[in-house]
Amino acid sequence: MSTEHQTDTPMVEIRNVHKRFGDLEVLKGIDLTVNRGKIVSIIGPSGSGKSTLLRSVNHLEVIDQGEILLDGVRVNRPDMNGLIFERHINHIRQNMGMVFQHFNLFPHLSTIDNVTLGPRKLKGMDKHIARELGMELLDRVGLAEKAAVFPNHLSGGQKQRVAIARALAMQPKVMLFDEATSALDPELVEEVNRVMRGLAEEHMTMLIVTHEMTFARDVSDWAMFMDEGVVVEECTPEKLFSNPDQERTCHFLRKHLGDNH
Ligand SMILES: Nc1ncnc2c1ncn2[C@@H]1O[C@H](COP(=O)(O)OP(=O)(O)OP(=O)(O)O)[C@@H](O)[C@H]1O
């Protein structure tokens, strides 16, 4: 790892993480550290375990072995159960904003209500303060004028920007993006990437799973290439994209660089 990467404080630490689905071992001992304010991209072929890893970070997948820490606090706690664990994981999740490929907005709620629901229900934020915060965030993603609109009247790119605003409304310590632009028409990708770039400029800590190689190269401080559940290579994106050490990485990048751009 680069010196700069190491000297920062870890925000997300993934240590020797294993995960299997039945006979299929999807994660075979993954280690990764995302330092505060850094952007790390996870790239790799389909089925290599990228989404499973990201989902494990906020315990949407339960890992079999290893540990994951958020800002020094252990996420997986096999020693806890029932209500105690539920409270623990809810607290952890409040500090992680997750953006999925398929938006997952509540169709029966307006844009502003989608954004303010979390702070109101989970953090007990006053309705007016939540609305103020929600409007500020909608403005930040360029959608203030859509506050009263329902999700089915928004384009895919707009829905994804609302999803980002909704995640930010919890004022998370880290944002997790799982192929946030994969479901979008090509002409809508840039508006979402622009919002993500804005977050990067504000030093939001981000862990990004993406198939967009150019975006990963441009926005990340660190890039990790995964294949078949193992980390093949991790380094600065400049190094990974210009001079990958591994044949598997080379082959993948040759195939994908230049795609969809
Ligand atoms: N809930 C599940 N049950 C069983 N198998 C699963 C489950 N989730 C994922 N898998 C399998 O685990 C492997 C890794 O899946 P994962 O979605 O993590 O890969 P990925 O690298 O994100 O792929 P893609 O780029 O296509 O999204 C795949 O073989 C997938 O079929």
Side-chain angles (χ1 to χ4, degrees):
M1 282 190 191
S2 71
T3 316
E4 190 200 349
H5 195 71
Q6 274 186 330
T7 51
D8 290 344
T9 334
M11 179 58 87
V12 178
E13 292 164 85
I14 297 171
R15 298 178 184 161
N16 191 30
V17 164
H18 290 254
K19 170 73 186 170
R20 58 167 62 245
F21 294 110
D23 289 342
L24 182 67
E25 194 176 12
V26 176
L27 303 176
K28 302 172 183 167
I30 304 286
D31 291 290
L32 175 70
T33 299
V34 184
N35 286 330
R36 197 180 293 270
K38 298 292 182 192
I39 294 112
V40 176
S41 289
I42 304 174
I43 61 171
S46 187
S48 56
K50 306 180 298 294
S51 292
T52 304
L53 180 63
L54 199 70
R55 290 166 60 80
S56 298
V57 170
N58 72 353
H59 205 70
L60 287 173
E61 300 292 354
V62 182
I63 60 174
D64 299 322
Q65 195 187 320
E67 60 177 7
I68 296 173
L69 289 90
L70 171 71
D71 205 8
V73 177
R74 190 168 171 174
V75 175
N76 59 316
R77 292 289 303 263
D79 56 316
M80 286 181 177
N81 45 35
L83 258 184
I84 294 178
F85 181 70
E86 208 173 293
R87 254 186 240 135
H88 163 75
I89 204 66
N90 283 343
H91 179 71
I92 293 275
R93 285 185 180 145
Q94 286 183 22
N95 284 306
M96 294 193 200
M98 182 137 182
V99 176
F100 301 87
Q101 187 177 350
H102 291 292
F103 328 126
N104 298 1
L105 297 177
F106 295 110
H108 61 290
L109 294 180
S110 66
T111 295
I112 184 71
D113 287 345
N114 262 285
V115 175
T116 57
L117 187 71
R120 286 177 56 199
K121 297 290 178 210
L122 300 174
K123 285 192 161 174
M125 194 181 278
D126 170 82
K127 199 166 108 182
H128 301 288
I129 296 176
R131 194 181 162 81
E132 219 171 279
L133 170 69
M135 287 308 298
E136 212 176 276
L137 289 169
L138 283 177
D139 189 43
R140 190 154 143 199
V141 300
L143 289 172
E145 80 285 2
K146 300 285 185 191
V149 169
F150 283 77
N152 61 350
H153 292 289
L154 298 175
S155 71
Q158 290 171 334
K159 282 182 198 162
Q160 197 57 299
R161 287 189 279 150
V162 175
I164 294 172
R166 181 179 59 175
L168 291 172
M170 293 302 286
Q171 295 166 310
K173 291 182 174 179
V174 59
M175 287 286 284
L176 311 176
F177 290 90
D178 191 4
E179 295 183 28
T181 55
S182 295
L184 300 178
D185 292 336
E187 70 273 18
L188 302 179
V189 167
E190 184 44 34
E191 64 187 68
V192 174
N193 282 349
R194 202 179 307 126
V195 170
M196 290 172 70
R197 267 194 221 101
L199 292 176
E201 277 158 22
E202 292 164 27
H203 305 290
M204 169 61 81
T205 309
M206 300 200 269
L207 188 50
I208 301 172
V209 168
T210 184
H211 284 282
E212 277 191 85
M213 298 305 128
T214 308
F215 181 72
R217 184 179 57 194
D218 294 348
V219 84
S220 317
D221 297 296
W222 200 249
M224 181 174 104
F225 180 77
M226 265 180 90
D227 195 9
E228 297 182 352
V230 296
V231 180
V232 176
E233 210 172 336
E234 56 163 321
C235 52
T236 60
E238 292 79 15
K239 184 169 183 304
L240 188 78
F241 286 93
S242 64
N243 186 24
D245 289 334
Q246 299 285 336
E247 183 49 38
R248 271 197 282 183
T249 319
C250 264
H251 179 74
F252 176 82
L253 292 175
R254 256 200 313 272
K255 219 167 99 190
H256 284 84
L257 261 177
D259 285 4
N260 309 320
H261 300 288

